[in-house]
Amino acid sequence: MGVMGAAQVLTALISFVLLIYLARFLGEADFGKYNFAFSFTNLFAIFADLGISQLLIREIARKKQLSEYYVNNAILLKILLSILTFIGIILITWTLRFPKILSILLYLFGIYNILSTLSSTYLSLFQAWEKMEYVALFQVIERVIIATFTLIVLFQGYGVIAVAYIYILAGIIDMILAATITFKKFIKPLFKIDWGLQKKLLIMGLPFGLNALFAVFFFKIDTILLGFLKGDVAVGIYNAAYNPLLSLSMIVAGIVSAAIYPVMSKYYKENKESLGKFTIISSKYLAIFGFPIAIGCFILADKFILILYAGGYTGAIIAFQILALFIPIRLVSTITGTLLSSINRQGYRMFSVGISAAFNIILNLILIPYYSYIGASIATVLSELLLYCLFLFYIGRYYKTINVNRTFTKPLIASIIMAMTIYPIKNLNPFIIIGLATIIYFLFLFLLKTFGDDDRLLLNNLLGKEA
């Protein structure tokens, strides 16, 4: 997991830098087209996979001798699903009569997302065989190719269509390399279709596919609905605010989830009392991390937008302030969501995401027509809050009531004091302000006696020691 964690952080950082430069070079309208096309085709690409990749990990991990049988049939099935998916993208694009440039982007990003779906079949094999270094390698290679060549074409003056071709190039390279290593080191290619297995893959993979669908609705539906209801500029402004905050939360959430999931799973079998304590302590530390960032981003939003986009996207400031509020909610939801999975209630985790996604869609449909990207920002924060509450509800119902909310009090008080201190001097150099804010924040955390003896539980178990 160390290799995967490092790869996730690296790819997230590369993606963060790439998105900043895309926003700067493309401008609000073309950056909006890029985000809309990518999100829209990402939604369709789920139907080219239908959860098969996740199912493969589980089934091959249990019966490695069937790897060849499963992977080859999965690839043949996915090729058929991919063709049908791309036909669907063409029909939807033609029916809705998108502008020419946007239509081209939908076709190109559709091809890229389908290529990624096919590549994920081979990555599933690597994960099932616990060869995580290969998964990490391909993730990094793809991101490096996309970032490097995209920056080159942007600096050469090319636009969003050229960027989409770069994604296809990276997808082709990634798929060829993954297939080559798979068939050289792990299995042999076969072209024999087992219709019974094909049916099994479709039926058993469906719950995983629904989970992925709900996740895309939860994270991307705001961008898609903004594109339909308000146009490219609104999408560009919204994503200029959303992408940096999403990247930050995903980096932290990925690292934390990878670290705590094995510990929580062990505690559920061996020491359920310690599992509750571990959850509360973990939530406290993510609250300690999340609250000052959220409040700092809210106060210094204009400065962060100025730094990130070199004076552009000033319209994104209010959206950035609103969206910053989801950071502590999402980070703590990482703990509660992982707890549900560790107590074998992952179905309720999926159900919670589905309910929150439906809530997100309804809110966006209500708010976007009146408030555009501001409405989408409000919908995102409220949907995150609902998801957090649903996780707590199901934990209380199927495990026990865990009062993680009481751990928020001291970090929140320290964050408010920090905010009151730095607000009068917010026009100073932002790096000076961040340094002073950090000192003030941790000073008041210690004065409030936030850290106690129980905190050793978290450190000991993340280091693999006994509690």
Side-chain angles (χ1 to χ4, degrees), residues 189-460:
L190 294 175
F191 300 99
K192 183 179 179 181
I193 299 177
D194 184 328
W195 296 110
L197 178 59
Q198 303 270 320
K199 182 179 178 181
K200 176 184 175 181
L201 291 172
L202 283 173
I203 294 173
M204 295 182 66
L206 191 57
F208 295 103
L210 286 173
N211 192 36
L213 183 65
F214 293 155
V216 172
F217 272 122
F218 189 77
F219 288 110
K220 298 294 184 181
I221 197 63
D222 40 14
T223 292
I224 295 170
L225 290 177
L226 266 175
F228 279 116
L229 298 174
K230 289 297 179 179
D232 300 328
V233 173
V235 174
I237 292 173
Y238 175 74
N239 279 276
Y242 187 43
N243 288 336
L245 298 169
L246 180 64
S247 296
L248 174 62
S249 63
M250 294 297 277
I251 290 171
V252 178
I255 295 172
V256 170
S257 180
I260 68 172
Y261 185 46
V263 178
M264 286 184 160
S265 299
K266 180 188 73 173
Y267 273 151
Y268 180 62
K269 293 295 183 183
E270 300 176 3
N271 192 337
K272 292 185 179 180
E273 182 63 30
S274 290
L275 174 59
K277 291 181 180 179
F278 184 77
T279 301
I280 290 173
I281 295 169
S282 300
S283 299
K284 181 178 79 172
Y285 275 90
L286 285 188
I288 288 171
F289 183 80
F291 276 115
I293 290 178
I295 292 178
C297 287
F298 186 88
I299 293 174
L300 302 175
D302 55 341
K303 292 187 176 293
F304 287 133
I305 293 295
L306 176 65
I307 293 170
L308 291 173
Y309 303 114
Y313 294 90
T314 54
I317 292 172
I318 296 176
F320 189 85
Q321 289 178 308
I322 296 169
L323 289 166
L325 302 177
F326 80 64
I327 290 178
I329 304 171
R330 177 169 292 177
L331 293 184
V332 179
S333 290
T334 300
I335 303 295
T336 52
T338 303
L339 176 61
L340 276 176
S341 296
S342 69
I343 63 174
N344 300 324
R345 298 293 177 177
Q346 59 272 14
Y348 290 102
R349 183 177 187 176
M350 180 188 74
F351 181 72
S352 299
V353 174
I355 292 295
S356 301
F359 179 70
N360 194 22
I361 293 171
I362 294 169
L363 275 184
N364 275 293
L365 288 173
I366 293 172
L367 295 174
I368 286 175
Y370 296 100
Y371 306 108
S372 189
Y373 54 85
I374 301 299
S377 303
I378 295 170
T380 295
V381 175
L382 292 178
S383 299
E384 291 281 355
L385 184 60
L386 175 63
L387 180 62
Y388 170 70
C389 293
L390 287 171
F391 282 169
L392 286 182
F393 171 77
Y394 286 115
I395 289 169
R397 186 171 181 178
Y398 294 103
Y399 174 56
K400 67 178 182 179
T401 300
I402 297 180
N403 190 8
V404 298
N405 294 333
R406 65 183 175 87
T407 66
F408 301 165
T409 305
K410 292 177 181 179
L412 182 57
I413 291 173
S415 297
I416 292 172
I417 295 171
M418 175 198 77
M420 293 171 62
T421 306
I422 66 171
Y423 184 78
I425 59 169
K426 69 173 188 172
N427 291 324
L428 293 177
N429 183 291
F431 297 103
I432 294 175
I433 296 173
I434 291 171
L436 289 172
T438 303
I439 294 170
I440 293 166
Y441 178 64
F442 280 99
L443 173 63
F444 277 93
L445 282 180
F446 282 107
L447 290 176
L448 292 168
K449 299 181 179 179
T450 308
F451 307 102
D453 293 337
D454 287 343
D455 296 309
R456 284 199 299 268
L457 176 70
L458 178 66
L459 181 60
N460 288 339

